[in-house]
Amino acid sequence: MVNTTIKTTKSEEIFAAAQKLMPGGVSSPVRAFKSVGGQPIVFDHVKGAYIWDIDGNQYIDYVGTWGPAICGHAHPDVISALHEALEKGTSFGAPSVLENVLASMVIDAVPSIEMVRFVNSGTEACMAVIRLMRAFTGRDKIIKFEGCYHGHADMLLVQAGSGVATLGLPDSPGVPKSATSNTVTAPYNDLEAVKALFESSPDEIAGVILEPVVGNAGFIPPDAGFLEGLRVLTQEYGALLVFDEVMTGFRIAYGGAQEKFGITPDLTTLGKVIGGGLPVGAYGGRKDIMSMVAPAGPMYQAGTLSGNPLAMTAGIKTLELLQKPGTYEQLERITKKLSDGLLQIAKETGHEVYGGQISAMFGMFFTGEPVHNYADAKKSDLSKFSRFHRGMLEHGVYLAPSQFEAGFTSLAHTDEDIDRTLEAAREVLSNL
Ligand SMILES: *Cc1c(COP(=O)(O)O)cnc(C)c1O
């Protein structure tokens, strides 16, 4: 498909070259626009709420590098802190005080976290947390939910969301059956299904891992009582509850979804926002469980670049910016304005939609029926989403190139940005 209203000649040339150099032309699948079709734009630079492509077109961005840019891209405070840190070296491979600073901030913020280990990505955090769940309980089975994404480790690539959902792959070749034989799945928001799994193997389940608000199957909030029910069930069966807050941490609230919903898991994974745009992940939780991690305990996990000074610096600065009074009120207000506006305009222009937002996370499906799980999400009219996505792009709005991804706002998005976005949506939806 050719863009009609924006010129993207350079993007096309660069992406064509990239496809000969890297599988699909990208370093991570969803970026290739395969599910929405058409030409991905190649970025040149980012600032605040905006991105500029290599052809010089400007867009209002609702991807925010998939979550980290919650203070806006390239925030001057983060950039200047990074300049300063850079002069002292990019990696120590040894302790630094910066790790203490970020660790204290994370422990103070996130209710479940008494101790934390830094890693380099959300994938790494989830891999390690599964090992820890098993090490601590002496049990092998884990429960995950259909459409939830916890990175690309073998045992978690079962009914996974994000890029896996986007491409319609239920699983991936190269993952041995033995790697996933201890992963059992249930539909999201289905407490009875989880109960049945516990009843059928009461002493074998190490724990439950989930996105406390789903972002990787599109935006799906937990039903009332779901998180509470999981907390009760896991306790009843001596299993651990793990919130994967790689996306929701410091986004749904400063203390994550666990603060927002008042449910304290045993362990938590983090990523995205805590790296402020540099590669960081983390896992943490109860002190008795975290004390099993090497070298305090026997569960091995390590990383050459883990806790490196640049990543810690970007994380610290980002969290400092988020601590300013009113930030989460502003994120909620601006995102609600956007989400309410989109749903209203879609209805006025004759489209059946279902969606919503919490704090700085939002989503809209092209279906009139409520979406409580991945099966519901898949009822969305994907070809309509593709046309909507392309239309918005041509009107200068960059949305995630997949129905099965949440949208993100930032502190840099202004009322004027939202108004312009809604104007674009009205034009696009009127002609869909
Ligand atoms: C993004 C994400 C991951 C994976 O993080 P990476 O840094 O991409 O490896 C894991 N879990 C959730 C909920 C995510 O949104």
Side-chain angles (χ1 to χ4, degrees), residues 172-190:
S172 170
V175 177
K177 273 212 181 83
S178 59
T180 57
S181 61
N182 284 309
T183 308
V184 291
T185 62
Y188 198 79
N189 277 322
D190 189 342

Side-chain angles (χ1 to χ4, degrees), residues 144-158:
K144 80 173 281 292
F145 294 93
E146 294 161 12
C148 283
Y149 179 68
H150 307 293
H152 61 82
D154 278 359
M155 69 281 185
L156 289 163
L157 276 186
V158 184

Side-chain angles (χ1 to χ4, degrees), residues 266-279:
D266 302 294
L267 294 166
T268 299
T269 54
L270 295 166
K272 298 190 170 119
V273 172
I274 59 156
L278 271 85

Side-chain angles (χ1 to χ4, degrees), residues 52-362:
W52 283 264
D53 71 16
I54 193 79
D55 290 280
N57 302 300
Q58 183 184 344
Y59 308 82
I60 304 172
D61 178 28
Y62 293 102
V63 180
T65 185
W66 302 98
I70 194 165
C71 297
H73 288 291
H75 192 287
D77 293 4
V78 177
I79 299 294
S80 72
L82 281 173
H83 275 297
E84 226 170 275
L86 199 51
E87 294 300 323
K88 293 172 138 191
T90 58
S91 178
F92 299 161
S96 80
V97 70
L98 296 167
E99 292 162 274
N100 293 19
V101 175
L102 188 58
S104 302
M105 292 174 97
V106 168
I107 290 165
D108 287 347
V110 185
S112 67
I113 299 187
E114 295 172 350
M115 270 186 149
V116 65
R117 164 62 57 87
F118 292 114
V119 293
N120 303 291
S121 70
T123 292
E124 223 188 303
C126 293
M127 263 170 72
V129 93
I130 300 292
R131 186 177 302 148
L132 183 55
M133 287 160 81
R134 290 169 165 167
F136 185 77
T137 59
R139 300 171 177 182
D140 286 342
K141 282 197 196 315
I142 53 161
I143 297 176
K144 80 173 281 292
F145 294 93
E146 294 161 12
C148 283
Y149 179 68
H150 307 293
H152 61 82
D154 278 359
M155 69 281 185
L156 289 163
L157 276 186
V158 184
Q159 301 275 332
S162 188
V164 188
T166 305
L167 301 178
L169 306 172
D171 255 320
S172 170
V175 177
K177 273 212 181 83
S178 59
T180 57
S181 61
N182 284 309
T183 308
V184 291
T185 62
Y188 198 79
N189 277 322
D190 189 342
L191 209 49
E192 288 307 312
V194 179
K195 200 178 272 180
L197 291 173
F198 272 112
E199 278 165 6
S200 68
S201 12
D203 306 316
E204 293 171 52
I205 296 168
V208 177
I209 185 167
L210 78 156
E211 295 178 59
V213 176
V214 182
N216 285 294
F219 170 79
I220 307 176
D223 289 346
F226 180 58
L227 301 177
E228 289 86 342
L230 291 177
R231 182 64 286 186
V232 171
L233 265 179
T234 45
Q235 261 158 359
E236 198 175 310
Y237 285 93
L240 300 175
L241 181 61
V242 182
F243 279 8
D244 177 355
E245 299 230 39
V246 170
M247 185 183 287
T248 54
F250 298 94
R251 177 166 290 277
I252 288 296
Y254 188 69
Q258 55 197 274
E259 176 195 309
K260 166 89 185 166
F261 293 101
I263 306 295
T264 305
D266 302 294
L267 294 166
T268 299
T269 54
L270 295 166
K272 298 190 170 119
V273 172
I274 59 156
L278 271 85
V280 184
Y283 62 102
R286 272 165 46 192
K287 204 173 203 162
D288 60 328
I289 308 177
M290 289 304 291
S291 301
M292 288 207 71
V293 178
M299 192 215 85
Y300 194 71
Q301 185 272 309
T304 301
L305 293 170
S306 295
N308 85 77
L310 284 185
M312 295 295 104
T313 297
I316 292 164
K317 245 326 145 202
T318 299
L319 298 198
E320 276 175 14
L321 290 166
L322 288 171
Q323 282 174 352
K324 290 190 178 161
T327 48
Y328 286 88
E329 288 79 0
Q330 164 68 2
L331 289 169
E332 172 68 25
R333 188 184 68 75
I334 211 97
T335 317
K336 186 164 175 15
K337 175 173 169 170
L338 174 68
S339 174
D340 287 356
L342 281 174
L343 294 172
Q344 179 63 30
I345 290 165
K347 276 178 201 137
E348 283 170 20
T349 50
H351 300 283
E352 292 207 309
V353 289
Y354 186 86
Q357 56 74 229
I358 302 175
S359 183
M361 199 169 151
F362 68 94

